[in-house]
Amino acid sequence: MDRFTVSEARRLFFHRVLIEQVMATPGLIERARARLRPAGDEAWRELLDGPFERLAEAVLEASPQGGLLRAQSPLMAALSDQERNALWQRVGLQQVVAYAQAACADLGLSPEEELAVMGEEAAGWHRAPPQVLTAQQLEPLKQIIAIQRTLATLEPDHQRRRDWLRQPHPAFSVAPIDILVNGGGEFLQHGLAEMVRPHLSAGDVPAH
């Protein structure tokens, strides 16, 4: 993925959270209007003067036009440093949630298995990502992300990763999925880390 694509993905994620903030802080619209130039910001002027629903739809549109709006966003410019930092923290948390959900999907976990891994509170996260996460809630998300990424190194084939998870493994005596859904994410993560070591080149291993 090139640098522009990564930057645009982060900007889109940020504006999803920013739109939520605008709903809670209508004064941001006025602050954004004050940031507009006398000429050259007609698209943004029209959106800020129009219905909120149209503003949200245009800013979050996954298109070149939506990307241009986000790159020139007066809403982002209207934030104080404290507000911007707080929103970036929320973006980071929501990205972790999205990565964990993608890892569960890649590994073929059922909705019930996903909740067993991520916690019962994750039931509503596909509809509305959490605003905050405790360290205890964050840990299993980091574990499933690490497990999926390590498995992708061991088994580049998508279906073979899923098969590996559900077949009894001699290193664990049971199918890894049984460990995963019973709170053994950390144990499974460490076991996989040992398995992947022989596949690393010298350049992949950090120097002591």
Side-chain angles (χ1 to χ4, degrees):
M1 185 177 291
D2 60 43
R3 184 178 301 176
F4 174 80
T5 305
V6 172
S7 176
E8 172 54 23
R10 283 175 56 80
R11 196 178 287 126
L12 175 57
F13 233 115
F14 183 88
H15 275 79
R16 286 175 181 159
V17 176
L18 179 53
I19 288 296
E20 294 173 4
Q21 188 65 34
V22 172
M23 293 175 64
T25 315
L28 275 176
I29 297 287
E30 289 302 321
R31 285 154 58 184
R33 283 197 186 100
R35 292 276 181 168
L36 296 175
R37 296 170 295 177
D41 286 332
E42 286 76 12
W44 263 108
R45 194 182 312 278
E46 181 179 344
L47 289 172
L48 292 172
D49 289 342
F52 175 78
E53 292 76 12
R54 173 59 189 140
L55 167 65
E57 179 183 0
V59 171
L60 300 182
E61 186 176 283
S63 69
Q65 179 61 25
L68 184 60
L69 287 170
R70 291 187 289 275
Q72 301 173 344
S73 174
L75 286 170
M76 189 170 184
L79 296 169
S80 67
D81 288 344
Q82 184 177 5
E83 289 171 328
R84 189 177 296 107
N85 290 339
L87 288 184
W88 275 120
Q89 287 180 350
R90 282 171 56 188
V91 168
L93 290 177
Q94 293 190 12
Q95 284 184 311
V96 171
V97 171
Y99 294 151
Q101 290 170 337
C104 289
D106 178 82
L107 297 175
L109 270 61
S110 69
E112 294 76 18
E113 290 168 339
E114 180 176 318
L115 292 185
V117 171
M118 295 175 58
E120 292 296 326
E121 61 273 14
W125 290 355
H126 285 279
R127 297 187 304 275
Q131 303 298 313
V132 295
L133 288 172
T134 66
Q136 187 176 5
Q137 291 172 320
L138 190 59
E139 194 57 34
L141 309 189
K142 293 161 61 177
Q143 289 168 3
I144 190 63
I145 293 169
I147 288 167
Q148 187 277 330
R149 289 179 177 175
T150 306
L151 268 178
T153 299
L154 290 170
E155 296 288 2
D157 181 75
H158 176 261
Q159 187 56 50
R160 290 187 66 178
R161 286 198 291 277
R162 296 185 172 192
D163 293 342
W164 182 94
L165 202 62
R166 297 187 182 277
Q167 295 171 355
H169 195 283
F172 306 116
S173 301
V174 296
I177 186 65
D178 294 328
I179 299 173
L180 188 58
V181 300
N182 285 288
E186 183 178 8
F187 174 77
L188 187 59
Q189 180 184 347
H190 289 163
L192 278 168
E194 291 302 314
M195 291 180 196
V196 82
R197 282 186 190 279
H199 297 265
L200 300 177
S201 65
D204 294 323
V205 180
H208 295 290

